[in-house]
Amino acid sequence: MIGSVRGRLLDKDPAGEMLIEAGGVGYRVTVAPSTLAGAGPVGDECFVYVHHHVREDSSDLYGFTELDERRCFEALLSAHGVGPALALAVLSHLPPDELRRAVAADDAAVLELVPGIGAKTSKRMVLDLKSRLGAPETVGAAIGPTGDGAGSAVAEVRAALGQMGFSPSEVREAMAAVAIAAGRDATADTGALLRVALQELGPR
């Protein structure tokens, strides 16, 4: 199985694919938008951790900047009804630690912000991922002393946006940016994350 690829970046497809030449072989690697954006210009050397997904009729590579992203991707694949495309979509909206916080807090609504995931699927995913994802170090602070997710800054931001009258699609758009911000700074409070959301939405 291929675990990583290091080589020269030959092409970047905006649809979410990188072509990497290593040892005279060109590897087509499907990646999230953030990985594609951070890959650097065509012609430079690049490196990605890889999940090699083999099925009866195909053999595909999925690439990640961080090893933890690959681990979460593989955990998502183990959940009922989750394929590579949906797993990659989840990680495009929720960085690994934010995904762990949502699962630890039983916050299935966070997963519903990902296109293609409804209420039933999100609840099943939380149950399936409970034993497969380790908790982030900050999870205690994120879910509060009762463990019910009421203290989650991300959940509070989502609720606030709904109360302010933003549509579900607008909330989904803003929460993608909020998830990235929360993943970068686990200490960010509700006010800071709400400012990120409103900046993302702009004047409405």
Side-chain angles (χ1 to χ4, degrees):
M1 286 292 196
I2 300 172
S4 64
V5 175
R6 183 187 298 277
R8 186 165 64 94
L9 183 60
L10 297 182
D11 188 38
K12 294 168 66 175
D13 187 334
E17 186 178 274
M18 297 164 56
L19 178 61
I20 305 172
E21 182 185 46
V25 178
Y27 295 91
R28 296 174 60 180
V29 184
T30 301
V31 297
S34 59
T35 302
L36 189 68
V42 170
D44 278 9
E45 181 181 271
C46 68
F47 173 86
V48 288
Y49 293 99
V50 165
H51 170 81
H52 190 185
H53 195 72
V54 180
R55 292 175 292 187
E56 290 184 1
D57 57 348
S58 65
S59 177
D60 302 306
L61 300 178
Y62 294 85
F64 308 91
T65 304
E66 303 292 337
L67 183 58
D68 196 30
E69 291 176 320
R70 189 183 73 182
R71 290 171 177 154
C72 285
F73 178 83
E74 290 170 345
L76 284 162
L77 289 181
S78 68
H80 178 76
V82 178
L86 187 56
L88 199 62
V90 170
L91 288 176
S92 295
H93 286 75
L94 297 172
D97 266 3
E98 185 55 40
L99 176 61
R100 290 189 177 96
R101 280 193 288 271
V103 170
D106 291 320
D107 192 356
V110 169
L111 291 170
E112 292 175 39
L113 296 171
V114 180
I117 297 182
K120 290 183 179 180
T121 301
S122 66
K123 291 175 182 177
R124 176 62 184 267
M125 285 176 65
V126 167
L127 289 175
D128 288 347
L129 292 172
K130 278 284 189 181
S131 62
R132 298 181 173 98
L133 285 177
E137 293 181 0
T138 57
V139 71
I143 65 175
T146 63
D148 60 3
S152 168
V154 173
E156 289 172 359
V157 170
R158 185 177 63 253
L161 292 174
Q163 292 169 1
M164 293 167 70
F166 289 103
S167 69
S169 62
E170 289 174 324
V171 172
R172 183 181 298 114
E173 174 189 342
M175 292 307 296
V178 168
I180 293 173
R184 290 173 177 167
D185 182 6
T187 65
D189 60 16
T190 302
L193 294 179
L194 184 56
R195 285 192 291 274
V196 170
L198 294 176
Q199 288 172 357
E200 180 69 17
L201 291 167
R204 302 289 166 116

